Amino acid sequence: MSFLSLTIFKHTNLLFIRSFMIMLLSFIAIQLNLCFSNIQSSLTTIDVNGHFSFTNNEFAAKDYGNQYQFLPQAVLHPKSVSDIAITVRHVWELGPSSELTIAARGHGHSIQGQAQAHHGVVINMESLKTPKMHFQTGDELPYVDVSGGELWINILHESLKYGLTPKSWTDYLHLTVGGTLSNAGISGQAFRHGPQISNVHQLEVVTGKGEVVTCSAQQNADLFSGVLGGLGQYGIITRARISLEPAAQMVKWIRVLYSDFSTFTRDQEQLISSENTFDYIEGLVIVNRTGLLNNWRSSFNPKDDDQASQFKSEGRTLFCLELAKNFNPDKIAETNEEIESMLSMLNYIPSTLFMTEVTYVEFLDRVHTAEIKLQEKGLWDVPHPWLNLLVPRSNIHKFADGVFGNILVDTSNGPVLVYPVNKSKWNNMTSAVLPDEDIFYLVAFLSQANPLSTGKDGLEHILGLNKRILDFCEEGQLGVKQYLPHYTTQDEWRVHFGQRWETFRRRKLAYDPLAILAPGQRIFQKGVLDL
């Protein structure tokens, strides 16, 4: 064959291949469009009290983490529990050949796309307003029945009308009940009352088969235990009965500093083990932050202004103990005596005692106040590559030496929380995975990233730090467990659950055997029946 003929032959082949690929891609696109069209047509046949939206659903492809964006085919805005049940049942009846999945989305505060459903259905739980809040008060144990899509901040305001309040909180209250109960719900009250999942009497759940089931520790106990901390894998929480207690009106809010981690943790552990102690105990790590005490002065008052002015924080790693004592105004003198007595037993740096007095609502809703300020600066809707860890007490000092001493060079990208909780206050029947020790620490790296930066405040750099921390924990065999866990393979999930994996898997087969629910957790894949 001549050179010219060979060139023409090759050129013709390339044109043929190119034309074939264009035709193939066009065929795939047509098939996908037909598939999506069939899904949409299928969903429009469902008779719901609310409605489906098939366009302008970009909000359901975003979350607080702002790292993953998976657009759903449709969003259900339910007005009743039956809307959710009939939708899940419809997808269940489509069988394993359908790739349609369902994710329940609360306030969108997930950080790794956990509440997203790629080309699936997202249920906008905030649209579910039934049942309306119902309070049980009186001499018996008080509680409130609420929708799974209700925000904790709304429960707070309504319960205070009865002089009551939920016992356990998260630091941020603009989250839905179903969202926090699917994880655990931890804040500075957890040492005393346990997490939110330890303060629930009863649930109503829509399983992966579309069944509406009422469950409690006495009724359908396996489902009840599985759903609490179950990462949305067994059912969608549509109603919860939350335990309440008498509410205080005011809060004494205190901050003190330590320069020694051992002293800091010893005082924390003493406080969470004492009979007479504070109502809220958390800690923060502060690395290389200048002007720290001056920043506090806008809302806190130093006990000794002259000493506080002389304190220098530049270039140091410090540890802040944050405390709160609830009280009513008629008990102010007794409260001040209690606080003074409890503080006298601690070994903080004397010149760093700062205190303020706020209402009970102002204290619990403190993060929302910060949120408003960040929104005004355009710093709220940025990537949040958070890393939350549960560290056994026996290894917290080794963890601190390696992470706070070497890996973390500053904490300017967001707060770093560290505080202990008592495992005895956790319901050990739930799906939540904990370290195997009586006391463990929550260590939360609550970073925010500059989406335009390639420096130390950029997303890739912070993700790199997170990986270094996880690698350090694994290599040191510290027995650390992730809270709000994120893994990409089932093998990693098996390691995470450890001995609990078979129970977790069994419950999945029982309540969501087609793996329809919560695909964003990336634990199970729909259509793979041998889970």
Side-chain angles (χ1 to χ4, degrees):
M1 184 181 292
S2 68
F3 176 78
L4 179 60
S5 300
L6 182 62
T7 302
I8 294 172
F9 175 76
K10 288 182 177 179
H11 183 67
T12 303
N13 274 333
L14 286 172
L15 287 175
F16 172 77
I17 293 171
R18 183 180 178 187
S19 300
F20 175 77
M21 290 302 297
I22 292 172
M23 290 173 61
L24 180 61
L25 292 173
S26 299
F27 174 77
I28 292 172
I30 291 169
Q31 293 302 310
L32 285 173
N33 287 333
L34 286 173
C35 177
F36 296 153
S37 177
N38 289 337
I39 290 172
Q40 181 171 331
S41 299
S42 171
L43 294 174
T44 57
T45 65
I46 304 175
D47 185 17
V48 294
N49 298 309
H51 70 280
F52 286 96
S53 62
F54 298 97
T55 58
N56 301 319
N57 290 330
E58 286 76 15
F59 77 96
K62 298 178 181 179
D63 58 24
Y64 183 69
N66 207 6
Q67 298 174 68
Y68 296 88
Q69 294 190 6
F70 297 115
L71 189 67
Q73 272 294 297
V75 173
L76 171 64
H77 305 268
K79 283 189 176 180
S80 64
V81 174
S82 64
D83 286 356
I84 298 173
I86 195 173
T87 300
V88 176
R89 193 178 309 120
H90 174 82
V91 176
W92 160 256
E93 290 173 349
L94 290 175
S97 61
S98 166
E99 295 183 359
L100 205 60
T101 56
I102 296 177
R105 183 183 194 273
H107 201 58
H109 210 73
S110 300
I111 53 177
Q112 303 281 3
Q114 289 99 329
Q116 299 178 28
H118 187 48
H119 292 156
V121 177
V122 169
I123 299 176
N124 180 17
M125 294 299 294
E126 286 192 86
S127 294
L128 183 67
K129 300 302 181 184
T130 56
K132 292 184 177 180
M133 287 189 218
H134 169 72
F135 287 86
Q136 172 66 48
T137 60
D139 295 333
E140 297 182 8
L141 294 175
Y143 63 79
V144 58
D145 277 330
V146 297
S147 162
E150 191 61 80
L151 297 180
W152 285 99
I153 184 64
N154 296 335
I155 299 172
L156 173 62
H157 287 305
E158 289 300 312
S159 62
L160 286 176
K161 295 176 182 179
Y162 298 88
L164 298 169
T165 176
K167 298 176 181 178
S168 192
W169 296 98
T170 56
D171 286 333
Y172 181 60
L173 304 191
H174 294 250
L175 306 172
T176 58
V177 168
T180 64
L181 295 185
S182 294
N183 290 283
I186 309 175
S187 185
Q189 303 86 5
F191 77 94
R192 169 177 285 171
H193 296 294
Q196 291 179 322
I197 57 174
S198 293
N199 293 277
V200 182
H201 296 309
Q202 189 182 86
L203 297 172
E204 179 185 72
V205 174
V206 177
T207 71
K209 300 176 183 179
E211 300 167 339
V212 182
V213 182
T214 298
C215 54
S216 65
Q218 294 75 37
Q219 178 186 9
N220 298 308
D222 186 63
L223 179 61
F224 180 71
S225 298
V227 167
L228 293 172
L231 307 177
Q233 292 301 302
Y234 312 128
I236 298 169
I237 298 172
T238 52
R239 180 179 61 81
R241 181 168 291 178
I242 308 297
S243 179
L244 302 175
E245 66 176 359
Q249 297 175 37
M250 302 295 294
V251 172
K252 288 279 189 178
W253 188 3
I254 303 161
R255 287 176 178 171
V256 293
L257 287 177
Y258 294 74
S259 58
D260 179 68
F261 187 73
S262 294
T263 307
F264 170 66
T265 55
R266 186 167 58 247
D267 278 3
Q268 281 190 315
E269 290 172 21
Q270 175 185 321
L271 287 172
I272 70 165
S273 302
S274 300
E275 189 74 23
N276 183 32
T277 189
F278 292 91
D279 297 297
Y280 162 97
I281 299 170
E282 286 196 7
L284 298 98
V285 182
I286 303 162
V287 183
N288 200 23
R289 300 283 296 278
T290 60
L292 176 68
L293 300 192
N294 286 331
N295 292 338
W296 288 0
R297 291 174 190 274
S298 62
S299 53
F300 285 81
N301 300 313
K303 182 179 180 180
D304 189 316
D305 195 67
D306 290 337
Q307 286 191 27
S309 299
Q310 296 173 17
F311 180 81
K312 303 298 181 184
S313 62
E314 286 80 355
R316 303 170 65 182
T317 297
L318 299 169
F319 307 96
C320 170
L321 180 58
E322 188 168 46
L323 309 165
K325 185 67 176 174
N326 304 335
F327 72 98
N328 290 325
D330 61 338
K331 300 288 185 181
I332 181 64
E334 297 174 27
T335 300
N336 286 336
E337 287 181 11
E338 281 187 74
I339 291 174
E340 188 172 343
S341 174
M342 290 185 290
L343 288 176
S344 69
M345 301 174 66
L346 305 180
N347 297 286
Y348 57 88
I349 302 170
S351 61
T352 64
L353 173 59
F354 278 66
M355 189 180 304
T356 190
E357 189 174 301
V358 294
T359 67
Y360 185 65
V361 173
E362 285 173 332
F363 175 72
L364 290 178
D365 203 28
R366 62 196 180 281
V367 176
H368 182 57
T369 303
E371 173 191 357
I372 294 171
K373 294 178 181 178
L374 289 172
Q375 285 179 337
E376 291 173 350
K377 298 177 181 179
L379 298 176
W380 186 255
D381 297 319
V382 297
H384 292 90
W386 285 7
L387 178 64
N388 296 271
L389 304 175
L390 304 177
V391 183
R393 174 178 178 264
S394 63
N395 285 323
I396 189 63
H397 295 283
K398 185 176 181 181
F399 178 92
D401 288 343
V403 176
F404 307 143
N406 292 304
I407 298 175
L408 203 67
V409 296
D410 65 59
T411 54
S412 59
N413 291 326
V416 177
L417 307 183
V418 53
Y419 59 90
V421 293
N422 295 311
K423 190 175 183 179
S424 62
K425 302 297 182 179
W426 291 62
N427 179 353
N428 61 8
M429 299 300 292
T430 70
S431 293
V433 178
L434 308 175
D436 190 23
E437 290 189 12
D438 293 337
I439 293 177
F440 56 89
Y441 280 75
L442 172 71
V443 183
F445 302 87
L446 308 182
S447 305
Q448 59 185 33
N450 181 344
L452 303 178
S453 174
T454 57
K456 291 184 178 180
D457 61 343
L459 179 60
E460 291 305 316
H461 178 77
I462 297 172
L463 290 174
L465 284 179
N466 289 350
K467 186 177 186 305
R468 286 180 63 192
I469 293 169
L470 290 171
D471 288 345
F472 171 78
C473 294
E474 184 176 354
E475 291 166 5
Q477 298 181 334
L478 302 188
V480 169
K481 294 294 183 181
Q482 283 193 38
Y483 175 60
L484 307 177
H486 170 69
Y487 300 103
T488 56
T489 70
Q490 194 173 92
D491 285 342
E492 291 174 312
W493 281 108
R494 286 175 185 269
V495 173
H496 171 75
F497 282 101
Q499 294 180 345
R500 290 173 170 258
W501 172 255
E502 286 306 319
T503 299
F504 194 81
R505 175 182 173 276
R506 174 187 61 76
R507 285 171 171 164
K508 185 69 171 179
L509 283 167
Y511 305 115
D512 182 26
L514 293 186
I516 290 169
L517 301 177
Q521 295 285 3
R522 303 173 184 85
I523 305 175
F524 302 104
Q525 183 179 347
K526 188 179 179 185
V528 181
L529 296 180
D530 183 17
L531 299 176

